[in-house]
Structure formats: C-alpha cells, structure tokens
mmCIF file of all heavy atoms in Angstrom:
data_model
loop_
_atom_site.group_PDB
_atom_site.id
_atom_site.type_symbol
_atom_site.label_atom_id
_atom_site.label_comp_id
_atom_site.label_asym_id
_atom_site.label_seq_id
_atom_site.Cartn_x
_atom_site.Cartn_y
_atom_site.Cartn_z
ATOM 1 N N GLY K 1 115.971 97.748 103.542
ATOM 2 C CA GLY K 1 117.243 98.455 103.555
ATOM 3 C C GLY K 1 117.292 99.378 102.361
ATOM 4 O O GLY K 1 116.527 99.228 101.405
ATOM 5 N N GLY K 2 118.173 100.353 102.408
ATOM 6 C CA GLY K 2 118.288 101.279 101.295
ATOM 7 C C GLY K 2 117.146 102.263 101.197
ATOM 8 O O GLY K 2 117.022 102.967 100.194
ATOM 9 N N SER K 3 116.292 102.309 102.209
ATOM 10 C CA SER K 3 115.116 103.195 102.208
ATOM 11 C C SER K 3 114.194 102.900 101.028
ATOM 12 O O SER K 3 113.651 103.808 100.411
ATOM 13 C CB SER K 3 115.552 104.671 102.174
ATOM 14 O OG SER K 3 116.207 105.032 103.363
ATOM 15 N N TRP K 4 114.006 101.605 100.713
ATOM 16 C CA TRP K 4 113.138 101.296 99.580
ATOM 17 C C TRP K 4 111.926 100.449 99.960
ATOM 18 O O TRP K 4 111.116 100.106 99.104
ATOM 19 C CB TRP K 4 113.914 100.638 98.459
ATOM 20 C CG TRP K 4 114.638 99.354 98.765
ATOM 21 C CD1 TRP K 4 114.401 98.473 99.784
ATOM 22 C CD2 TRP K 4 115.728 98.804 98.021
ATOM 23 N NE1 TRP K 4 115.261 97.420 99.729
ATOM 24 C CE2 TRP K 4 116.096 97.586 98.661
ATOM 25 C CE3 TRP K 4 116.422 99.201 96.892
ATOM 26 C CZ2 TRP K 4 117.136 96.775 98.201
ATOM 27 C CZ3 TRP K 4 117.446 98.385 96.436
ATOM 28 C CH2 TRP K 4 117.798 97.204 97.076
ATOM 29 N N ALA K 5 111.775 100.076 101.231
ATOM 30 C CA ALA K 5 110.662 99.210 101.623
ATOM 31 C C ALA K 5 109.315 99.891 101.396
ATOM 32 O O ALA K 5 108.404 99.313 100.793
ATOM 33 C CB ALA K 5 110.809 98.784 103.083
ATOM 34 N N THR K 6 109.164 101.117 101.868
ATOM 35 C CA THR K 6 107.886 101.819 101.717
ATOM 36 C C THR K 6 107.521 102.007 100.256
ATOM 37 O O THR K 6 106.397 101.708 99.835
ATOM 38 C CB THR K 6 107.956 103.193 102.412
ATOM 39 O OG1 THR K 6 108.153 102.999 103.816
ATOM 40 C CG2 THR K 6 106.660 103.968 102.205
ATOM 41 N N ALA K 7 108.470 102.489 99.458
ATOM 42 C CA ALA K 7 108.206 102.750 98.048
ATOM 43 C C ALA K 7 107.899 101.475 97.284
ATOM 44 O O ALA K 7 107.223 101.513 96.247
ATOM 45 C CB ALA K 7 109.403 103.452 97.416
ATOM 46 N N SER K 8 108.370 100.326 97.768
ATOM 47 C CA SER K 8 108.178 99.059 97.082
ATOM 48 C C SER K 8 106.921 98.332 97.537
ATOM 49 O O SER K 8 106.190 97.758 96.718
ATOM 50 C CB SER K 8 109.392 98.147 97.310
ATOM 51 O OG SER K 8 110.588 98.763 96.906
ATOM 52 N N VAL K 9 106.664 98.330 98.838
ATOM 53 C CA VAL K 9 105.571 97.525 99.391
ATOM 54 C C VAL K 9 104.208 98.162 99.148
ATOM 55 O O VAL K 9 103.245 97.473 98.774
ATOM 56 C CB VAL K 9 105.787 97.291 100.903
ATOM 57 C CG1 VAL K 9 104.571 96.616 101.524
ATOM 58 C CG2 VAL K 9 107.029 96.444 101.131
ATOM 59 N N LEU K 10 104.092 99.468 99.339
ATOM 60 C CA LEU K 10 102.767 100.097 99.267
ATOM 61 C C LEU K 10 102.086 99.940 97.911
ATOM 62 O O LEU K 10 100.877 99.681 97.854
ATOM 63 C CB LEU K 10 102.864 101.576 99.648
ATOM 64 C CG LEU K 10 103.232 101.879 101.107
ATOM 65 C CD1 LEU K 10 102.923 103.334 101.442
ATOM 66 C CD2 LEU K 10 102.518 100.966 102.085
ATOM 67 N N PRO K 11 102.787 100.081 96.776
ATOM 68 C CA PRO K 11 102.093 99.877 95.496
ATOM 69 C C PRO K 11 101.527 98.469 95.347
ATOM 70 O O PRO K 11 100.416 98.297 94.815
ATOM 71 C CB PRO K 11 103.189 100.148 94.458
ATOM 72 C CG PRO K 11 104.151 101.047 95.151
ATOM 73 C CD PRO K 11 104.156 100.591 96.572
ATOM 74 N N ALA K 12 102.259 97.461 95.809
ATOM 75 C CA ALA K 12 101.768 96.086 95.711
ATOM 76 C C ALA K 12 100.558 95.875 96.612
ATOM 77 O O ALA K 12 99.576 95.228 96.222
ATOM 78 C CB ALA K 12 102.883 95.111 96.075
ATOM 79 N N VAL K 13 100.608 96.412 97.820
ATOM 80 C CA VAL K 13 99.478 96.292 98.739
ATOM 81 C C VAL K 13 98.250 96.995 98.177
ATOM 82 O O VAL K 13 97.126 96.473 98.236
ATOM 83 C CB VAL K 13 99.861 96.851 100.124
ATOM 84 C CG1 VAL K 13 98.634 96.979 101.019
ATOM 85 C CG2 VAL K 13 100.917 95.969 100.778
ATOM 86 N N ALA K 14 98.442 98.180 97.626
ATOM 87 C CA ALA K 14 97.315 98.923 97.057
ATOM 88 C C ALA K 14 96.685 98.172 95.890
ATOM 89 O O ALA K 14 95.455 98.075 95.775
ATOM 90 C CB ALA K 14 97.786 100.306 96.604
ATOM 91 N N GLU K 15 97.541 97.620 95.008
ATOM 92 C CA GLU K 15 97.033 96.891 93.848
ATOM 93 C C GLU K 15 96.307 95.621 94.278
ATOM 94 O O GLU K 15 95.263 95.261 93.711
ATOM 95 C CB GLU K 15 98.189 96.549 92.908
ATOM 96 C CG GLU K 15 97.758 96.128 91.514
ATOM 97 C CD GLU K 15 97.035 97.217 90.758
ATOM 98 O OE1 GLU K 15 97.376 98.403 90.937
ATOM 99 O OE2 GLU K 15 96.101 96.874 90.007
ATOM 100 N N ALA K 16 96.835 94.930 95.279
ATOM 101 C CA ALA K 16 96.172 93.723 95.776
ATOM 102 C C ALA K 16 94.830 94.062 96.429
ATOM 103 O O ALA K 16 93.859 93.304 96.307
ATOM 104 C CB ALA K 16 97.080 93.012 96.774
ATOM 105 N N THR K 17 94.774 95.200 97.123
ATOM 106 C CA THR K 17 93.511 95.629 97.732
ATOM 107 C C THR K 17 92.472 95.913 96.661
ATOM 108 O O THR K 17 91.308 95.493 96.767
ATOM 109 C CB THR K 17 93.739 96.882 98.599
ATOM 110 O OG1 THR K 17 94.752 96.620 99.566
ATOM 111 C CG2 THR K 17 92.455 97.287 99.304
ATOM 112 N N ARG K 18 92.864 96.593 95.612
ATOM 113 C CA ARG K 18 91.929 96.866 94.516
ATOM 114 C C ARG K 18 91.497 95.579 93.817
ATOM 115 O O ARG K 18 90.353 95.448 93.369
ATOM 116 C CB ARG K 18 92.554 97.858 93.539
ATOM 117 C CG ARG K 18 92.613 99.287 94.076
ATOM 118 C CD ARG K 18 92.989 100.280 92.992
ATOM 119 N NE ARG K 18 94.414 100.205 92.698
ATOM 120 C CZ ARG K 18 95.330 101.022 93.227
ATOM 121 N NH1 ARG K 18 94.956 101.972 94.075
ATOM 122 N NH2 ARG K 18 96.599 100.892 92.907
ATOM 123 N N ASP K 19 92.417 94.615 93.746
ATOM 124 C CA ASP K 19 92.072 93.330 93.144
ATOM 125 C C ASP K 19 91.017 92.612 93.979
ATOM 126 O O ASP K 19 90.082 91.998 93.436
ATOM 127 C CB ASP K 19 93.338 92.477 93.022
ATOM 128 C CG ASP K 19 93.127 91.232 92.186
ATOM 129 O OD1 ASP K 19 92.446 91.321 91.140
ATOM 130 O OD2 ASP K 19 93.635 90.160 92.564
ATOM 131 N N ALA K 20 91.146 92.679 95.305
ATOM 132 C CA ALA K 20 90.135 92.078 96.181
ATOM 133 C C ALA K 20 88.793 92.780 96.025
ATOM 134 O O ALA K 20 87.730 92.137 96.039
ATOM 135 C CB ALA K 20 90.615 92.147 97.633
ATOM 136 N N ILE K 21 88.822 94.088 95.863
ATOM 137 C CA ILE K 21 87.575 94.844 95.673
ATOM 138 C C ILE K 21 86.908 94.449 94.354
ATOM 139 O O ILE K 21 85.670 94.332 94.271
ATOM 140 C CB ILE K 21 87.858 96.353 95.732
ATOM 141 C CG1 ILE K 21 88.248 96.762 97.157
ATOM 142 C CG2 ILE K 21 86.664 97.161 95.248
ATOM 143 C CD1 ILE K 21 88.746 98.186 97.281
ATOM 144 N N GLU K 22 87.712 94.222 93.321
ATOM 145 C CA GLU K 22 87.135 93.772 92.044
ATOM 146 C C GLU K 22 86.447 92.431 92.192
ATOM 147 O O GLU K 22 85.403 92.177 91.577
ATOM 148 C CB GLU K 22 88.227 93.707 90.974
ATOM 149 C CG GLU K 22 88.712 95.058 90.492
ATOM 150 C CD GLU K 22 87.588 95.907 89.933
ATOM 151 O OE1 GLU K 22 86.824 95.413 89.074
ATOM 152 O OE2 GLU K 22 87.463 97.068 90.369
ATOM 153 N N GLN K 23 87.016 91.550 93.015
ATOM 154 C CA GLN K 23 86.352 90.265 93.250
ATOM 155 C C GLN K 23 85.053 90.468 94.017
ATOM 156 O O GLN K 23 84.040 89.812 93.738
ATOM 157 C CB GLN K 23 87.271 89.304 94.007
ATOM 158 C CG GLN K 23 86.742 87.877 94.034
ATOM 159 C CD GLN K 23 87.726 86.907 94.638
ATOM 160 O OE1 GLN K 23 87.737 86.720 95.857
ATOM 161 N NE2 GLN K 23 88.535 86.264 93.801
ATOM 162 N N LEU K 24 85.051 91.386 94.958
ATOM 163 C CA LEU K 24 83.804 91.717 95.660
ATOM 164 C C LEU K 24 82.739 92.192 94.674
ATOM 165 O O LEU K 24 81.563 91.805 94.758
ATOM 166 C CB LEU K 24 84.061 92.817 96.703
ATOM 167 C CG LEU K 24 84.562 92.421 98.081
ATOM 168 C CD1 LEU K 24 84.835 93.675 98.904
ATOM 169 C CD2 LEU K 24 83.562 91.529 98.801
ATOM 170 N N LYS K 25 83.128 93.027 93.755
ATOM 171 C CA LYS K 25 82.174 93.524 92.755
ATOM 172 C C LYS K 25 81.595 92.384 91.928
ATOM 173 O O LYS K 25 80.391 92.368 91.613
ATOM 174 C CB LYS K 25 82.854 94.549 91.849
ATOM 175 C CG LYS K 25 83.207 95.859 92.525
ATOM 176 C CD LYS K 25 83.882 96.816 91.537
ATOM 177 C CE LYS K 25 84.234 98.142 92.184
ATOM 178 N NZ LYS K 25 84.894 99.073 91.232
ATOM 179 N N SER K 26 82.471 91.414 91.581
ATOM 180 C CA SER K 26 81.968 90.283 90.803
ATOM 181 C C SER K 26 80.957 89.476 91.599
ATOM 182 O O SER K 26 79.979 88.967 91.043
ATOM 183 C CB SER K 26 83.134 89.396 90.360
ATOM 184 O OG SER K 26 83.698 88.687 91.446
ATOM 185 N N PHE K 27 81.165 89.368 92.927
ATOM 186 C CA PHE K 27 80.181 88.688 93.766
ATOM 187 C C PHE K 27 78.872 89.465 93.788
ATOM 188 O O PHE K 27 77.773 88.884 93.734
ATOM 189 C CB PHE K 27 80.705 88.545 95.197
ATOM 190 C CG PHE K 27 81.924 87.690 95.349
ATOM 191 C CD1 PHE K 27 82.772 87.834 96.449
ATOM 192 C CD2 PHE K 27 82.244 86.727 94.407
ATOM 193 C CE1 PHE K 27 83.899 87.045 96.596
ATOM 194 C CE2 PHE K 27 83.378 85.932 94.542
ATOM 195 C CZ PHE K 27 84.203 86.092 95.639
ATOM 196 N N ALA K 28 78.982 90.793 93.866
ATOM 197 C CA ALA K 28 77.789 91.632 94.012
ATOM 198 C C ALA K 28 76.906 91.614 92.774
ATOM 199 O O ALA K 28 75.676 91.685 92.875
ATOM 200 C CB ALA K 28 78.203 93.064 94.346
ATOM 201 N N ILE K 29 77.495 91.536 91.591
ATOM 202 C CA ILE K 29 76.671 91.590 90.377
ATOM 203 C C ILE K 29 76.133 90.217 89.975
ATOM 204 O O ILE K 29 75.321 90.104 89.064
ATOM 205 C CB ILE K 29 77.474 92.189 89.199
ATOM 206 C CG1 ILE K 29 78.664 91.291 88.825
ATOM 207 C CG2 ILE K 29 77.923 93.603 89.530
ATOM 208 C CD1 ILE K 29 79.436 91.792 87.621
ATOM 209 N N GLU K 30 76.588 89.167 90.687
ATOM 210 C CA GLU K 30 76.042 87.839 90.422
ATOM 211 C C GLU K 30 74.679 87.654 91.062
ATOM 212 O O GLU K 30 73.837 86.904 90.562
ATOM 213 C CB GLU K 30 77.005 86.768 90.941
ATOM 214 C CG GLU K 30 78.294 86.643 90.155
ATOM 215 C CD GLU K 30 79.267 85.674 90.813
ATOM 216 O OE1 GLU K 30 78.901 85.091 91.856
ATOM 217 O OE2 GLU K 30 80.381 85.513 90.300
ATOM 218 N N ASP K 31 74.469 88.326 92.184
ATOM 219 C CA ASP K 31 73.220 88.161 92.915
ATOM 220 C C ASP K 31 73.033 89.367 93.830
ATOM 221 O O ASP K 31 73.957 90.139 94.057
ATOM 222 C CB ASP K 31 73.254 86.866 93.730
ATOM 223 C CG ASP K 31 71.861 86.395 94.139
ATOM 224 O OD1 ASP K 31 70.878 87.038 93.726
ATOM 225 O OD2 ASP K 31 71.770 85.392 94.864
ATOM 226 N N GLY K 32 71.824 89.536 94.348
ATOM 227 C CA GLY K 32 71.571 90.607 95.279
ATOM 228 C C GLY K 32 71.146 91.896 94.607
ATOM 229 O O GLY K 32 70.787 91.920 93.415
ATOM 230 N N PRO K 33 71.179 93.010 95.333
ATOM 231 C CA PRO K 33 70.651 94.281 94.817
ATOM 232 C C PRO K 33 71.405 94.813 93.607
ATOM 233 O O PRO K 33 70.869 95.630 92.866
ATOM 234 C CB PRO K 33 70.785 95.223 96.012
ATOM 235 C CG PRO K 33 71.867 94.628 96.870
ATOM 236 C CD PRO K 33 71.708 93.149 96.719
ATOM 237 N N PHE K 34 72.624 94.386 93.385
ATOM 238 C CA PHE K 34 73.408 94.881 92.252
ATOM 239 C C PHE K 34 73.505 93.852 91.126
ATOM 240 O O PHE K 34 74.358 93.950 90.256
ATOM 241 C CB PHE K 34 74.823 95.268 92.706
ATOM 242 C CG PHE K 34 74.856 96.348 93.759
ATOM 243 C CD1 PHE K 34 75.834 96.355 94.735
ATOM 244 C CD2 PHE K 34 73.884 97.354 93.782
ATOM 245 C CE1 PHE K 34 75.868 97.350 95.710
ATOM 246 C CE2 PHE K 34 73.909 98.341 94.752
ATOM 247 C CZ PHE K 34 74.893 98.342 95.720
ATOM 248 N N LYS K 35 72.635 92.867 91.161
ATOM 249 C CA LYS K 35 72.687 91.798 90.166
ATOM 250 C C LYS K 35 72.577 92.374 88.758
ATOM 251 O O LYS K 35 71.691 93.158 88.453
ATOM 252 C CB LYS K 35 71.566 90.790 90.401
ATOM 253 C CG LYS K 35 71.602 89.601 89.454
ATOM 254 C CD LYS K 35 70.521 88.593 89.791
ATOM 255 C CE LYS K 35 70.593 87.388 88.857
ATOM 256 N NZ LYS K 35 69.565 86.365 89.188
ATOM 257 N N GLY K 36 73.530 91.966 87.909
ATOM 258 C CA GLY K 36 73.518 92.399 86.519
ATOM 259 C C GLY K 36 74.099 93.764 86.262
ATOM 260 O O GLY K 36 74.167 94.195 85.102
#
C-alpha cells in the first residue's frame, strides 16, 4: 500500500541475490578450477 512495495522489496531481493552469489564464490575458491 502507499505505492511503496516495489521501492522496498527490490533492494532487499537484490542484496540477498548478491549475498547468495558471494556464497557461490566461496564454494568455487575452495575447490575446482577457481581454487585459491
């Protein structure tokens, strides 16, 4: 309501997506072609 859902939800979703990507990176540098 109040036309604030889009402005409020998208930043949190974007930040959570980047947080998941950071965890992926941590998995990748532990082992495999990007190790270290």
Side-chain angles (χ1 to χ4, degrees):
S3 293
W4 58 21
T6 297
S8 304
V9 173
L10 293 195
V13 169
E15 195 63 34
T17 304
R18 287 191 284 263
D19 190 41
I21 291 171
E22 288 302 309
Q23 191 173 88
L24 275 176
K25 291 180 179 180
S26 71
F27 296 157
I29 64 177
E30 290 174 2
D31 199 4
F34 300 147
K35 183 176 182 179

